[in-house]
Amino acid sequence: TVLYAPHWNPYGSLHIFGTKIIEELVKYDINLLIKPHHYLYAKYPEDNWKNRFDDFAGKYEHVTLVTRPNTQELYPIADLMISDTGTSAPFEFCILQKPLLVFANYALFNENPNEDNSEEKAILEASICFDNLQNFTQMMEAFLNKNETFIKEIESQKKRQKALIDSLLYNPGNASSYAEKAILKEINL
């Protein structure tokens, strides 16, 4: 099972690639869960994302559009998550130390160069990142074919995920401040 959890921000994979990631994923013999950030529909109603996702779910038996608001309940059933820069979902998924592919669009950081993006950059360091569709496709094929080099990268990623969790979540005296910053950033305060 693959969980595609794109973010709503304009630097996310949906805004850069449209539905091309989904078009690639439906080719594989996988269960695909599409769980976009709930704010996507309200922020970009003109893009008609819900109908576009519904079209995939209606056309392919192995595709499910998840409309429940809680993404975390999907993490235990996902073997791999694909997400974007600028969202907390990759951090949350790191707790399980499972394979995580993140669309690394550094333009997000250039928008506000004075903003502290250290947590998001740390999430990228704990992720296996792609920056174009060809790179994404190669990673998916390596994952599905259990490519030995990619399996080693996943093992390395697990160590980076553990280090990230240990530094941000299990950091006595600092976890609350990191959480507060992440929440305030998410709600744009």
Side-chain angles (χ1 to χ4, degrees):
T1 298
V2 173
L3 171 60
Y4 177 43
H7 195 44
W8 63 266
N9 76 55
Y11 302 100
S13 55
L14 286 173
H15 294 286
I16 303 302
F17 304 125
T19 59
K20 288 185 174 23
I21 286 179
I22 299 170
E23 291 168 23
E24 183 63 30
L25 291 170
V26 298
K27 296 176 187 176
Y28 301 118
D29 183 23
I30 60 170
N31 291 316
L32 173 60
L33 303 175
I34 303 171
K35 173 57 179 91
H37 191 286
H38 63 278
Y39 193 51
L40 178 74
Y41 304 130
K43 182 77 173 165
Y44 301 99
E46 69 279 3
D47 290 332
N48 213 9
W49 288 112
K50 173 97 171 57
N51 289 347
R52 293 163 80 178
F53 299 143
D54 280 336
D55 288 346
F56 283 102
K59 186 175 179 180
Y60 300 97
E61 268 185 38
H62 64 290
V63 175
T64 302
L65 173 61
V66 179
T67 57
R68 294 183 307 274
N70 186 356
T71 306
Q72 293 85 358
E73 67 189 13
L74 302 171
Y75 297 161
I77 62 173
D79 300 301
L80 166 77
M81 184 168 93
I82 302 156
S83 195
D84 294 322
T85 306
T87 177
S88 62
F91 173 72
E92 297 162 356
F93 197 74
C94 280
I95 293 170
L96 299 177
Q97 296 178 28
K98 291 183 176 184
L100 170 65
L101 303 181
V102 174
F103 172 54
N105 188 345
Y106 293 95
L108 175 70
F109 304 130
N110 297 333
E111 182 180 87
N112 298 308
N114 297 326
E115 189 173 315
D116 179 14
N117 291 305
S118 57
E119 290 89 10
E120 290 176 8
K121 289 178 180 175
I123 291 168
L124 286 176
E125 290 172 13
S127 303
I128 299 173
C129 298
F130 65 96
D131 60 3
N132 62 62
L133 289 171
Q134 181 180 2
N135 190 232
F136 169 73
T137 300
Q138 291 169 344
M139 289 178 177
M140 280 304 302
E141 290 177 4
F143 173 77
L144 294 170
N145 293 323
K146 297 179 174 50
N147 173 280
E148 186 176 322
T149 303
F150 196 73
I151 296 301
K152 288 179 182 174
E153 177 62 25
I154 290 170
E155 292 305 314
S156 173
Q157 178 187 44
K158 287 180 182 181
K159 293 175 186 169
R160 297 190 311 268
Q161 289 170 324
K162 182 176 180 343
L164 173 68
I165 296 305
D166 288 347
S167 70
L168 296 182
L169 199 58
Y170 305 116
N171 192 342
N174 294 315
S176 295
S177 64
Y178 282 118
E180 176 187 27
K181 283 171 51 178
I183 291 168
L184 290 174
K185 188 171 190 173
E186 187 69 23
I187 59 175
N188 294 320
L189 290 180

